[in-house]
Amino acid sequence: MASVRAASRLLSRRTISHVKAVPAAAVQSSRNFHFSIYGKKKNAKVSDDISTQYPVVDHEFDAVVVGAGGAGLRAAFGLSEAGFNTACVTKLFPTRSHTVAAQGGINAALGNMEDDDWRWHFYDTVKGSDWLGDQDAIHYMTEQAPAAVVELENFGMPFSRTEDGKIYQRAFGGQSLKYGKGGQAHRCCCVADRTGHSLLHTLYGRSLRYDTSYFVEYFALDLLMEDGQCKGVIALCMEDGSIHRFRAQNTVIATGGYGRTYFSCTSAHTSTGDGNAMVTRAGLPCQDLEFVQFHPTGIYGAGCLITEGCRGEGGILINSEGERFMERYAPNAKDLASRDVVSRSMTIEIREGRGVGPEKDHVYLQLHHLPPQQLATRLPGISETAMIFAGVDVTKEPIPVLPTVHYNMGGIPTNYKGQVIDYTDGKDTVVPGLYACGEAACASVHGANRLGANSLLDLVVFGRACALTIANEHKPGEKLSPLKPSAGEESVANLDKLRFANGSLRTSEIRLNMQKTMQNHAAVFRTGSVLKEGCDKMDDIYQTMEQIKTFDRGIVWNTDLVESLELQNLMLNAVQTINSAEQRKESRGAHAREDFRDRVDEFDYSKPLQGQEKKPFDQHWRKHTLSYVDPKTGKVTLKYRPVIDTSLDEQDCAHVPPAIRSY
Amino acid sequence: MFFLRVWVSASKQAVSRGVSVESVLTGCTRAASGTATDKEPLRKAKTPQGRFDVPEGKNKDVLEKFPDDVNPATKEKGGPRGPEPTRYGDWERRGRCVDF
């Protein structure tokens, strides 16, 4: 408390010599509060090191976690439990992170419904990833899955139960028994219909037991990198506009995905890929960003997905001419064709000008030809959903839908331990001091396609893995390596530039341009010409960032500024996504191209391997894309990294050799 | 409360003088007790007081709770309400797909 008063005295002294406003909190902290304010602990020092206009508060911790969703919370309290002085920097209150919207289930081979083995789950995940997943990371995740779910249950997560009191598991998401030969497996555990919500609240409640310092509504601007080592994070406190530097030996990034680069996505407005952008600006690569998972029928404008059951019960997709266009694209299956076929057909219809609406950018899902009673019994709740999110009466009008982004398989490349890696001189090199987990990371368990109910598992397993790795390799209270006093000045300069930006285009206009371009060019329908056109357009839009105009010149709760910072982050993600997609000349998993419809591996796995010559590394596509961006010009450079094909223990769990992926 | 007592005593005097202050009295008792015990309908039925006076059962959720929260078909305790979410291959809830 005394040092806080000292800090406020320092700040108030500065008030006399500088005209710029002092953060309001500094004035208030000279009072004695009866509770302690999180974030204003005794090791915070105020200094003028970066700029006299922006006094910076320096904090020292053993570990900093950026992001407080499922993975971030698990990492934060795992570290606190191990005795590390941990800070959790988050731009949202922990229980408002997007994990709360994950309402499916979590996969684990507990064997409660039938005999199960995690090695079968391993096989299913490797196959689901279309052999682009790193098999050591998948081995780690599926082997740890039962322990992770039991641990969550011990934390108090109220899973649904069987009659015997064991966790109830249901069939979901491409899970099979006996390496695909034993029929459907029941592996998905859930908490009624709100697994993600319950997971997040359980983890948050558990984390309060430990001594983690939460810095809520602090927007992380950049990583503090020196000599290729990550030494902390610099963040903007949105509440009072002060800049904070968190120095730590270990930084964990768990900032989530970047759905908001597209016009239609299921993600929250806060899913802006901040972690990916921070890593890109630090000169490190992002991996496999072209793999974005789409769902064909997402409500136009709202982004909620309409279940395939609607089409299963007889719903049809129609274009502006009222034609049931799926009959042309899939004459046998029609509207019940697989998701990617439906998404591509919808996109082709829209591209050819037969879309509906004022901008002709979506199609209709018609259900009003079905008897209302049947709809109400088979799909209860759909009329409310359609009314709330689309504003239509489902018994009279069709629902506007278009292909919608749901998940990003790509992200910050890590190894199975959660350490961020770079690929130099032909091998993986660990970036010291930097870790990543959750949707922001790409340990590559999902590869080219994510299986349902695996992402919640990914969060908890790799959140814990980051904490364990840090605990193994470091000790609490380690001396911090020295950092230049002016570290973070580029971030503050960028902040200042954005705060006083006076160009010609508003943030919202640039963002809409980017989202529409990505939706039109880098969505489900990908061909060379469309992608190339998209890359050029995105390049132009990237250059228009110079003409950005913001209106709010204040520093306290400046959402215009924060949205502009988020737009910068989204731009970096978008250019990498579209450029990586343009370069990858094959179809694999979620990346499906019309001009290259087949998977291009080192061997042709549809024929026997005898007598085939192995293609050299640069002539096949079973490899990870690593993308780097020069933030000033927006130019993307791509490198490739081989997939890890060996599991952690070949005796215990043999790796799965590639094969043709068919279900 | 003081004013109420004064008012009530005043109105009692008024009653003894034969002036009908029934409506005033009922207004006072309504304000004092918080329940609608009078013969007049509520002036503002949409206020919380009015809304909670509607008998329970009007605001039924489309997805009903299972008896004892146990799904009779699968014997799952504490599971999702309504039909099986994974019946169409994705995780469906109220017509919305939340995972696939």
Side-chain angles (χ1 to χ4, degrees), chain A residues 261-281:
Chain A
T261 44
Y262 286 83
F263 180 69
S264 182
C265 63
T266 58
S267 339
H269 288 279
T270 48
S271 292
T272 49
D274 302 324
N276 295 356
M278 278 163 45
V279 152
T280 303
R281 283 192 289 261

Side-chain angles (χ1 to χ4, degrees), chain A residues 178-497:
Chain A
K178 297 200 181 62
Y179 305 103
K181 302 186 191 64
Q184 178 74 39
H186 296 74
R187 261 180 218 135
C188 182
C189 317
C190 74
V191 175
D193 52 14
R194 47 181 193 279
T195 311
H197 174 272
S198 171
L199 171 77
L200 198 58
H201 282 257
T202 307
L203 288 177
Y204 181 59
R206 187 78 188 180
S207 72
L208 294 175
R209 272 185 179 230
Y210 304 103
D211 210 15
T212 318
S213 313
Y214 280 100
F215 292 85
V216 176
E217 285 166 0
Y218 279 63
F219 186 85
L221 297 167
D222 264 312
L223 299 173
L224 300 170
M225 302 286 291
E226 203 167 281
D227 305 323
Q229 184 183 357
C230 181
K231 300 194 177 178
V233 178
I234 181 167
L236 165 74
C237 174
M238 302 196 324
E239 188 182 340
D240 59 16
S242 50
I243 310 287
H244 293 251
R245 272 196 301 215
F246 297 90
R247 287 185 58 197
Q249 198 71 351
N250 311 289
T251 309
V252 181
I253 299 185
T255 47
Y258 58 95
R260 283 283 150 183
T261 44
Y262 286 83
F263 180 69
S264 182
C265 63
T266 58
S267 339
H269 288 279
T270 48
S271 292
T272 49
D274 302 324
N276 295 356
M278 278 163 45
V279 152
T280 303
R281 283 192 289 261
L284 296 169
C286 285
Q287 181 173 274
D288 292 341
L289 289 188
E290 66 267 36
F291 294 101
V292 179
Q293 195 174 39
F294 284 85
H295 189 274
T297 49
I299 298 183
Y300 181 76
C304 281
L305 302 175
I306 295 281
T307 177
E308 288 167 62
C310 288
R311 289 176 279 128
E313 290 296 330
I316 58 178
L317 291 163
I318 54 173
N319 59 15
S320 58
E321 290 161 15
E323 179 207 353
R324 186 181 177 179
F325 58 84
M326 285 309 299
E327 285 177 341
R328 272 187 284 123
Y329 295 94
N332 292 329
K334 296 194 227 215
D335 295 274
L336 297 176
S338 68
R339 279 192 292 269
D340 42 337
V341 172
V342 176
S343 307
R344 283 213 290 286
S345 317
M346 288 165 74
T347 314
I348 295 174
E349 287 293 303
I350 294 170
R351 282 193 72 81
E352 291 181 358
R354 290 187 288 279
V356 299
E359 293 183 35
K360 299 199 183 315
D361 54 357
H362 55 281
V363 295
Y364 279 138
L365 173 64
Q366 182 179 296
L367 292 169
H368 56 77
H369 60 284
L370 302 169
Q373 275 305 98
Q374 184 190 347
L375 264 186
T377 37
R378 301 279 182 83
L379 291 163
I382 191 165
S383 41
E384 280 89 355
T385 299
M387 182 51 79
I388 294 172
F389 293 103
V392 302
D393 181 352
V394 82
T395 50
K396 296 198 186 76
E397 301 157 288
I399 308 174
V401 294
L402 80 166
T404 302
V405 172
H406 184 63
Y407 187 82
N408 303 107
M409 270 73 77
I412 304 168
T414 70
N415 56 20
Y416 76 94
K417 292 190 251 190
Q419 297 168 309
V420 171
I421 53 180
D422 195 355
Y423 189 68
T424 47
D425 301 325
K427 50 186 200 355
D428 294 334
T429 48
V430 171
V431 175
L434 192 57
Y435 302 79
C437 53
E439 194 177 343
C442 185
S444 219
V445 280
H446 306 301
N449 188 41
R450 174 194 70 102
L451 288 182
N454 262 358
S455 54
L456 285 174
L457 180 62
D458 177 15
L459 300 184
V460 286
V461 169
F462 287 100
R464 180 170 168 271
C466 283
L468 288 178
T469 311
I470 295 174
N472 276 339
E473 305 201 351
H474 298 272
K475 292 232 164 348
E478 259 179 3
K479 196 159 156 13
L480 292 178
S481 54
L483 184 66
K484 264 205 323 262
S486 64
E489 58 185 355
E490 299 92 14
S491 320
V492 178
N494 180 41
L495 186 107
D496 188 62
K497 186 179 84 155

Side-chain angles (χ1 to χ4, degrees), chain A residues 103 160-161 163 168 170 172 190 192-193 295 305 307-309 313 339 378 380-381 384-385 389 406 450 452-453, chain B residues 62-63 74-80 83-100:
Chain A
Q103 291 184 12
S160 62
R161 304 280 172 171
E163 281 177 301
Y168 184 87
R170 49 178 27 85
F172 185 60
C190 74
D193 52 14
H295 189 274
L305 302 175
T307 177
E308 288 167 62
E313 290 296 330
R339 279 192 292 269
R378 301 279 182 83
E384 280 89 355
T385 299
F389 293 103
H406 184 63
R450 174 194 70 102
Chain B
V62 168
L63 300 178
T74 56
K75 307 282 183 289
E76 180 186 5
K77 192 161 164 26
E84 170 62 35
T86 56
R87 63 195 188 286
Y88 294 115
D90 57 7
W91 193 287
E92 176 269 339
R93 174 91 180 137
R94 295 175 194 271
R96 253 173 279 171
C97 165
V98 284
D99 200 4
F100 54 94

